[in-house]
C-alpha cells in the first residue's frame, strides 16, 4: 500500500511538472510573439515566428504527457496530428489547400525521442509549407511510420518542387543545421531523395530494447 501511494504521488508530481513546463513554454512563446510584433524588420519577425513554432512543438509534448499519460511515453502518431494542426494554423500558405496523410503503424516513444523527432518533423513541414508548393496545384504532405527490427523508420514526403541541390548540400540554413543536431542527439540518420512525384526524407531511429 505504501509503494502504491508513493507511485501515485510520483505520478501526480510528474504530471504537475509537465503542466508547469508546458505553461512556461507557452509564456515564452507569447514573449516571442510580442517581440515579433514590435519589430519593423521582416527578417526578425520571420525568425521569431519560427522560434514560436519550435517552442509550440515542445509544449505539445509536455501537454500530451500531462493530459493522457501514465508511463512517460507518447503516442507519436497522435502527437503528429496535433503538430500538423498547429502548423496549419500558423504556416500554411493563404488560399492553398494542402492534404496531410498519415500511414503505417502507431508507436509509443519515450519523451526525449518524441521531442527530437517532433522538432525534426516541425522543421521539415515548415519548410514544405513555406517553399514546396508555390507553383503547385495538388499539394500533399505525408508521414509514414515503419518498424524494422530495432529501428523506427519515418518517411516524410511532400509533392512539392524538392530541394535543388539535395539535402547534403544545404549547409547554410538554420533549419537544416538544427535537424542535423537533433538527429545526432538521438543517434538517428536522415537521408533525402527526389522521386518523380515527390520529395522524400527518411529518418531512422534506434529504439530502446
Amino acid at each position: 500500500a505504501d509503494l502504491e501511494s508513493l507511485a501515485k504521488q510520483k505520478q501526480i508530481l510528474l504530471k504537475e511538472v509537465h503542466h508547469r513546463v508546458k505553461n512556461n513554454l507557452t509564456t515564452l512563446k507569447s514573449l516571442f510573439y510580442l517581440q515579433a510584433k514590435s519589430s519593423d524588420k521582416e527578417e526578425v519577425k520571420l525568425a521569431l515566428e519560427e522560434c514560436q513554432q519550435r517552442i509550440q512543438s515542445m509544449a505539445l509534448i509536455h501537454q500530451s504527457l500531462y493530459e493522457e499519460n501514465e508511463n512517460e511515453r507518447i503516442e507519436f502518431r497522435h502527437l503528429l496530428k496535433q503538430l500538423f494542426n498547429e502548423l496549419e494554423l500558423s504556416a500554411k500558405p493563404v488560399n492553398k489547400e494542402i492534404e496531410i496523410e498519415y500511414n503505417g503503424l502507431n508507436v509509443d516513444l519515450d519523451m526525449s525521442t518524441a521531442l527530437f523527432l517532433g522538432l525534426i518533423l516541425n522543421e521539415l513541414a515548415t519548410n514544405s509549407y513555406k517553399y514546396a508548393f508555390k507553383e503547385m496545384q495538388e499539394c500533399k504532405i505525408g508521414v509514414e511510420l515503419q518498424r524494422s527490427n530495432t529501428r523506427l523508420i519515418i518517411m516524410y514526403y511532400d509533392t512539392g518542387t524538392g530541394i535543388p541541390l539535395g539535402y547534403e548540400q544545404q549547409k547554410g540554413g538554420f533549419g537544416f543545421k538544427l535537424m542535423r543536431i537533433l538527429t545526432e542527439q538521438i543517434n538517428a540518420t536522415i537521408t533525402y531523395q527526389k522521386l518523380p512525384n515527390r520529395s522524400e526524407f527518411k529518418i531512422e531511429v534506434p529504439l530502446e530494447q
Side-chain angles (χ1 to χ4, degrees):
D2 287 344
L3 286 173
E4 285 182 2
S5 177
L6 284 171
K8 192 171 291 185
Q9 288 178 40
K10 177 190 172 187
Q11 190 60 42
I12 291 169
L13 287 171
L14 281 171
K15 286 172 74 72
E16 181 61 24
V17 167
H18 290 306
H19 183 55
R20 292 191 181 195
V21 171
K22 184 252 181 183
N23 287 346
N24 288 340
L25 287 168
T26 302
T27 301
L28 185 59
K29 179 186 171 186
S30 298
L31 292 173
F32 276 104
Y33 171 78
L34 292 172
Q35 189 66 49
K37 290 278 285 184
S38 66
S39 176
D40 56 0
K41 295 183 179 179
E42 205 57 40
E43 283 186 14
V44 173
K45 286 180 181 289
L46 182 60
L48 292 173
E49 285 167 4
E50 290 176 350
C51 287
Q52 288 175 58
Q53 187 53 53
R54 292 177 182 118
I55 292 168
Q56 178 63 24
S57 299
M58 290 187 278
L60 283 173
I61 301 284
H62 291 279
Q63 180 176 316
S64 296
L65 287 166
Y66 172 72
E67 288 180 346
E68 56 193 51
N69 206 280
E70 295 183 356
N71 59 3
E72 290 295 290
R73 297 184 71 81
I74 294 168
E75 188 182 276
F76 192 61
R77 191 162 171 170
H78 176 64
L79 174 68
L80 280 180
K81 291 182 178 180
Q82 289 182 302
L83 176 63
F84 277 95
N85 286 340
E86 291 289 337
L87 279 169
E88 192 168 20
L89 293 173
S90 61
K92 187 173 82 67
V94 179
N95 300 323
K96 183 80 71 173
E97 290 301 317
I98 299 174
E99 179 186 351
I100 308 293
E101 63 179 18
Y102 306 92
N103 294 300
L105 56 82
N106 202 353
V107 61
D108 289 344
L109 297 177
D110 64 275
M111 177 185 164
S112 179
T113 303
L115 175 59
F116 287 119
L117 283 176
L119 288 170
I120 291 167
L121 288 165
N122 176 78
E123 294 301 316
L124 290 172
T126 300
N127 198 60
S128 294
Y129 277 129
K130 285 169 62 178
Y131 305 116
F133 305 118
K134 289 182 178 179
E135 308 299 328
M136 311 292 292
Q137 294 300 318
E138 293 187 16
C139 309
K140 181 184 289 187
I141 291 173
V143 182
E144 182 174 339
L145 303 178
Q146 307 169 3
R147 186 163 185 164
S148 175
N149 296 323
T150 59
R151 300 181 76 78
L152 174 67
I153 299 171
I154 301 170
M155 308 299 293
Y156 173 91
Y157 53 89
D158 67 44
T159 57
T161 53
I163 302 172
L165 299 176
Y167 172 69
E168 289 75 13
Q169 280 72 42
Q170 302 297 313
K171 304 294 186 184
F174 177 75
F176 285 102
K177 288 180 180 177
L178 180 59
M179 281 195 290
R180 289 189 180 90
I181 293 168
L182 294 169
T183 53
E184 288 172 4
Q185 291 296 311
I186 51 176
N187 297 316
T189 60
I190 181 168
T191 55
Y192 169 80
Q193 63 175 335
K194 181 73 174 80
L195 301 173
N197 60 344
R198 71 188 196 187
S199 298
E200 184 176 273
F201 284 86
K202 181 180 183 181
I203 306 164
E204 295 187 66
V205 192
L207 294 173
E208 295 176 339
Q209 298 298 302

